[in-house]
Amino acid sequence: MSPAWFFRCLQEAGRGAGRGLGSGPRGSRASGGWGSRRSLLLLALWCCVLGGGGGAEDMVVLRAGLCPGLTEEMIQLLRANGIRTVVDFVSSDLEDVAQKCSLSYKALVAVRRVLLAQFSAFPTNGADLFEELKSSTAILPTGSPSLDQLLDSGLYTGEVTELMGAPGSGKTQVCLGIAASVSLGLKQHVLFLDSTGGFTASRLYQILRARAEDGEEQLEALQRIQVVRVFNIYEMLSALQELRDRLSQQVVSSVGPLKIVVIDSVSAVIYPLLGGKHSEGLAIMMQLARELKTLAKEFSLAVVVTNQVTRESSTGPLKPALGRSWSFVPSTRVLLESKEATWEKATTQRVASLAKSSRQPTGIQVELDIGNGDVQELSPATPTQGL
């Protein structure tokens, strides 16, 4: 959020002090005090909180279904007048917008109230956060003892965990192993969003057969894993929004509660929107980031995403794709790399390294075996000098 934007909010507060922000006509005070200068200044400050220093909330694009009353027709009219994000909308003079867009002033005010309530940040204290953590956080096993050790016991609900690596590094295989572990071992429901077409039921069934001998148990585990194909960012956002609606209504699945969402991969749907003439690409990426973090926090879910890696030069170190803005989204990052096979170990060897964590020192490294069987532990975690 820029200082200029904040002063725009204050200017609007000054202009609107005498006419109110209620649902009534110009000059109405029917909103119970919203027309006062003090309330309007508070609104400006709330908008400042909404800006959040240029974070994810600052980049949320207006879209149908984001809040009640925000229709597709309204969004098209707003975009035609340069209003594309939540911040654009709440910082605009709604009377001018109503005239330019031929929209109802009352409807615009109602939408702005909902957006402020939905996107503004409210303070809490450390004791409440700690109690919430104890009551809502669960640790889900990945199916690999060494990977669990790397992650400090497993995948934590309420967080986004990223698996990054080059093509063929084993990201999808590890995701399948995680889905099998949660479904088979914990009897929990799994949502798997496949954006690359890499999900294969035969491979998943092979993993389940290696972990359970009972055919009926294998079938039940398969039924607990819901797969959704999403080949662009809009399909992914729609699937996540639908999931949020179902969770809010406590309608998920008849086979068990949902505890994990796996997305393979985020980079596949975001990359086409970044750079070039796609000026809204960053905004849409941060909207996806907000959806993932909100799902994780509000519904105590573990969210696992995969990402590609890049190099600045042919000899440079591997870096996660999607840039600095995305780097703040995952709480934990694991780098997967291929390791050349040896005569002693004919199967494909892969190394997992901890690149980001708030609980473990980065640079810890383990070996994973992703062969025809399960994802298995090969060696204990050993600290290194870093990636």
Side-chain angles (χ1 to χ4, degrees), residues 115-137:
L115 290 176
L116 283 171
Q118 181 176 346
F119 288 90
S120 296
F122 297 95
T124 186
N125 61 60
D128 291 341
L129 288 174
F130 182 64
E131 290 300 322
E132 180 183 353
L133 180 69
K134 291 194 298 183
S135 63
S136 63
T137 302

Side-chain angles (χ1 to χ4, degrees), residues 218-236:
Q218 298 166 10
L219 179 59
E220 291 176 354
L222 283 171
Q223 293 173 339
R224 281 189 287 267
I225 301 174
Q226 179 185 4
V227 182
V228 180
R229 310 282 187 179
V230 286
F231 295 119
N232 61 62
I233 187 64
Y234 304 104
E235 291 178 353
M236 183 172 290

Side-chain angles (χ1 to χ4, degrees), residues 111-314:
V111 169
R112 177 155 67 176
R113 283 181 174 175
V114 175
L115 290 176
L116 283 171
Q118 181 176 346
F119 288 90
S120 296
F122 297 95
T124 186
N125 61 60
D128 291 341
L129 288 174
F130 182 64
E131 290 300 322
E132 180 183 353
L133 180 69
K134 291 194 298 183
S135 63
S136 63
T137 302
I139 304 175
L140 312 180
T142 64
S144 165
S146 61
L147 186 56
D148 286 342
Q149 185 179 354
L150 186 74
L151 297 172
D152 192 22
S153 301
L155 299 166
Y156 284 67
T157 58
E159 297 183 0
V160 178
T161 300
E162 181 181 86
L163 304 174
M164 57 179 178
S169 60
K171 300 185 297 294
T172 299
Q173 299 284 28
V174 173
C175 287
L176 292 174
I178 291 171
S181 176
V182 174
S183 177
L184 184 62
L186 301 181
K187 305 294 188 291
Q188 301 288 309
H189 193 62
V190 178
L191 176 62
F192 197 112
L193 299 184
D194 177 21
S195 66
T196 64
F199 180 93
T200 55
S202 59
R203 174 61 179 139
L204 177 61
Y205 182 57
Q206 190 177 32
I207 295 174
L208 291 171
R209 287 184 61 187
R211 299 184 182 185
E213 296 181 357
D214 188 342
E216 184 175 347
E217 190 176 2
Q218 298 166 10
L219 179 59
E220 291 176 354
L222 283 171
Q223 293 173 339
R224 281 189 287 267
I225 301 174
Q226 179 185 4
V227 182
V228 180
R229 310 282 187 179
V230 286
F231 295 119
N232 61 62
I233 187 64
Y234 304 104
E235 291 178 353
M236 183 172 290
L237 287 171
S238 177
L240 293 173
Q241 182 63 49
E242 181 181 350
L243 172 62
R244 185 196 287 191
D245 293 342
R246 291 163 58 192
L247 290 171
S248 300
Q249 299 169 10
Q250 297 182 345
V251 178
V252 180
S253 173
S254 60
V255 295
L258 180 70
K259 271 300 176 185
I260 187 168
V261 176
V262 180
I263 301 179
D264 185 26
S265 74
V266 292
S267 51
V269 295
I270 293 176
Y271 254 143
L273 302 177
L274 298 179
K277 299 180 180 179
H278 301 284
S279 58
E280 293 186 0
L282 180 60
I284 296 174
M285 181 179 75
M286 298 316 296
Q287 182 171 340
L288 174 62
R290 182 183 178 278
E291 290 286 348
L292 296 179
K293 299 192 80 167
T294 300
L295 279 171
K297 288 290 185 183
E298 290 188 1
F299 302 103
S300 297
L301 300 178
V303 177
V304 178
V305 301
T306 65
N307 190 8
Q308 293 292 336
V309 291
T310 61
R311 293 183 190 269
E312 292 184 356
S313 64
S314 59

Side-chain angles (χ1 to χ4, degrees), residues 20-24 28-36 109 113:
L21 284 173
S23 58
S28 171
R29 300 299 181 109
S31 57
W34 277 91
S36 69
V109 169
R113 283 181 174 175

